[in-house]
Amino acid sequence: MKLNNDKMRFFLGFTDTCGVYRSVEQSLLSQGHRAYFLNLGNDLREKSYDNPFVPRLFRRTYDYAHCEAEGSTNFRSYFAQLAYKAAMIILAIWVAVCFDVLLIKSGAGLTRSRFELRVARAFGRKIIFSYHGSDSRPFYLGYTAERENYPEKIRELESFRNYLQKSEELADIVIDSPSSAHLHMKQCCLRQVIFNPAPLDSFPDQKIDYSESKPLRLLHAPSDPLLKGTDVIRRAVLELKSKGYIFEFREVNGVSNEQVIEELLASDIVVDEMYSDNYAGIFALEGLTARKVVVVGGYAFEHLDEYVPDWARAPTARTRPEKLVELLESLLCDHKLRQLYRSRADAYIKTVVCPAKVVKRLVTLAGGEAPSEWFFDPKSIEYIGGAAAPMEEIEENIAQVYKVNGAQSFSMEDKMNLQKILVNRASKN
């Protein structure tokens, strides 16, 4: 189904992740499209418009019903649930009538049946489900805290896979990454092409400084030190200092976003994370927006390069975790190399992830005019390096999962080549 690309109307819901969907909404509005993001989670970004009556009514009944649900099952609770269901019907009709495209994070609706999305589909609206990693990746390809619960986790994985695949029946388009879309069956649009709006709101009143500090300043600001590989970064810093390199290193966490941004602007090299499965996460993208050299570690880059067009690859300085010291040595010693990364960041922010470009690509996708290079088949995925954990831990996860119920434990029966790779890796452990 093709849509009029001039003034497309987008509804976004129902939760955000690091401000991505609020940024998309603002980008759409800035380019003259109608857009409304109904965020039922925490929303730290101030809205610059008045909420329409229908979502305002729904939000009030939503909050009222959830508040009453925590109390006893009395008449007030019954009435709250009744009012909530009525408001949901009104909201579903409002969305279906007023918008052309529904962009839904993780394919999650308001109800188990996703009634509101089915209403929109009945009205002929286009539905796009977008995924961001942990909402589509099998658990054994990530950090696993409780290995003794593997049998239960495997049962949950099978249910989760069935849920995702049934979700695809509702969606016209699925957005995901070749490094995390293992459980999908339907052709996916590359997340690297669509979901990378420059976080311009992070620097509303700040002037970007292109000069370097003396000595150079390195920054690491982990949201979760365990998942970001902070220990690897600390060891690298100590090794570099033992070799005689002179630089300042700042590690900050548990502080306000404003303080993190201040540290970011005062730094020269940003060491983001060591176990990423993407070229750049949100903080790395903020670093690029500030025209800093951004270091990202992980195992997925070669795999991603097989799918993602050159222009859509965020220009971070990429490395495997075990080669971090080598990369940092190069960056500390080579001013021209640092300037090269800065200039690439500048070009990327101006020509790829500025709001106008992001909106143009999203509208092209929703309008059914996206080129074939924007898509990939999940059945071709061969990546098993996971995210948020060292390779040794991922391999141990794979081996332990295989012990429970053999190849069937992986829930990859529809991807026999990937299943074979997993079995071979499990057999080596």
Side-chain angles (χ1 to χ4, degrees):
M1 178 180 66
K2 289 190 175 183
L3 301 173
N4 184 349
N5 291 6
D6 294 334
K7 295 294 179 182
M8 205 172 286
R9 304 171 300 172
F10 284 82
F11 175 84
L12 296 81
F14 295 94
T15 57
D16 208 344
T17 175
C18 301
V20 167
Y21 289 82
R22 184 63 73 197
S23 293
V24 171
E25 179 202 42
Q26 292 174 350
S27 297
L28 286 163
L29 292 170
S30 71
Q31 300 303 307
H33 297 274
R34 182 178 182 184
Y36 182 78
F37 176 36
L38 176 58
N39 187 4
L40 298 178
N42 293 330
D43 193 354
L44 301 180
R45 299 193 180 210
E46 184 179 350
K47 304 181 185 68
S48 58
Y49 55 82
D50 294 328
N51 277 315
F53 171 75
V54 171
R56 199 157 18 107
L57 171 68
F58 174 79
R59 185 59 191 254
R60 286 185 178 180
T61 58
Y62 174 87
D63 292 340
Y64 177 54
H66 282 72
C67 179
E68 289 296 331
E70 296 177 359
S72 60
T73 56
N74 53 21
F75 174 76
R76 287 180 59 184
S77 178
Y78 173 78
F79 176 78
Q81 292 299 320
L82 190 64
Y84 170 60
K85 291 179 181 179
M88 185 187 304
I89 293 173
I90 295 172
L91 176 72
I93 296 173
W94 178 76
V95 170
V97 170
C98 295
F99 297 93
D100 307 303
V101 182
L102 281 68
L103 178 59
I104 308 297
K105 178 184 176 294
S106 306
L110 298 172
T111 62
R112 182 174 297 180
S113 66
R114 286 176 280 198
F115 158 80
E116 65 286 352
L117 303 182
R118 296 181 186 279
V119 171
R121 192 166 184 83
F123 274 72
R125 303 315 184 196
K126 181 158 286 189
I127 297 177
I128 303 175
F129 287 168
S130 58
Y131 297 85
H132 297 265
S134 59
D135 51 1
S136 62
R137 182 192 303 112
F139 75 90
Y140 51 81
L141 297 183
Y143 172 73
T144 304
E146 300 176 352
R147 286 196 168 127
E148 64 273 15
N149 291 329
Y150 271 138
E152 181 180 349
K153 285 181 175 293
I154 290 169
R155 288 191 294 271
E156 292 174 352
L157 175 64
E158 185 176 358
S159 298
F160 182 48
R161 180 194 62 178
N162 293 336
Y163 169 80
L164 284 180
Q165 294 176 357
K166 287 182 179 179
S167 297
E168 292 179 355
E169 298 173 5
L170 270 177
D172 296 285
I173 300 170
V174 173
I175 299 172
D176 209 331
S177 169
S179 56
S180 58
H182 300 69
L183 296 175
H184 286 299
M185 293 183 65
K186 190 173 187 175
Q187 176 181 255
C188 297
C189 176
L190 289 160
R191 187 169 77 235
Q192 291 79 5
V193 168
I194 298 298
F195 274 105
N196 47 10
L200 302 178
D201 287 349
S202 297
F203 314 97
D205 302 313
Q206 305 284 352
K207 182 178 180 180
I208 304 301
D209 187 1
Y210 290 85
S211 62
E212 291 188 333
S213 307
K214 293 183 180 180
L216 292 172
R217 295 179 181 177
L218 274 64
L219 172 68
H220 177 51
S223 55
D224 187 321
L226 177 64
L227 304 185
K228 298 296 183 180
T230 297
D231 284 347
V232 175
I233 297 167
R234 290 171 181 165
R235 289 196 297 269
V237 168
L238 290 175
E239 183 174 341
L240 289 166
K241 287 187 177 290
S242 71
K243 291 183 176 183
Y245 289 98
I246 299 174
F247 59 91
E248 293 182 8
F249 176 65
R250 289 279 291 166
E251 180 184 322
V252 297
N253 57 64
V255 301
S256 68
N257 186 63
E258 290 75 14
Q259 290 174 283
V260 173
I261 294 302
E262 285 181 11
E263 293 285 352
L264 173 61
L265 291 171
S267 300
D268 302 296
I269 299 173
V270 179
V271 187
D272 184 22
E273 57 181 314
M274 285 297 98
Y275 308 126
S276 176
D277 67 349
N278 200 358
Y279 301 109
I282 297 300
F283 184 61
L285 191 56
E286 288 180 331
L288 295 174
T289 304
R291 278 58 169 184
K292 306 299 180 181
V293 181
V294 180
V295 176
V296 177
Y299 311 106
F301 305 127
E302 291 183 4
H303 175 77
L304 288 174
D305 287 348
E306 297 177 9
Y307 298 88
V308 182
D310 290 348
W311 60 266
R313 302 172 191 172
T316 49
R318 300 187 283 273
T319 181
R320 291 177 70 90
E322 62 270 18
K323 295 184 177 182
L324 175 61
V325 171
E326 182 181 333
L327 174 61
L328 289 178
E329 281 185 302
S330 298
L331 292 172
L332 289 170
C333 294
D334 195 335
H335 171 75
K336 289 185 178 179
L337 180 60
R338 296 193 301 271
Q339 288 300 100
L340 177 61
Y341 277 111
R342 292 178 193 275
S343 63
R344 288 176 176 172
D346 187 63
Y348 180 73
I349 295 301
K350 290 179 178 177
T351 64
V352 179
V353 296
C354 64
K357 297 294 186 180
V358 170
V359 168
K360 183 178 180 180
R361 293 195 299 274
L362 181 57
V363 168
T364 297
L365 176 67
E369 299 176 351
S372 59
E373 70 168 359
W374 291 14
F375 297 90
F376 70 95
D377 185 350
K379 289 185 175 63
S380 67
I381 293 176
E382 296 185 354
Y383 175 65
I384 61 170
M391 184 66 78
E392 298 78 20
E393 183 171 326
I394 299 296
E395 290 177 338
E396 178 64 20
N397 288 346
I398 292 171
Q400 293 301 320
V401 167
Y402 183 67
K403 288 179 181 178
V404 175
N405 199 20
Q408 186 177 344
S409 300
F410 296 123
S411 287
M412 292 295 160
E413 293 86 352
D414 59 314
K415 301 177 182 68
M416 295 305 296
N417 189 44
L418 179 58
Q419 179 174 276
K420 182 178 179 180
I421 293 172
L422 287 165
V423 170
N424 288 341
R425 185 59 60 91
S427 301
K428 294 179 180 179
N429 288 271

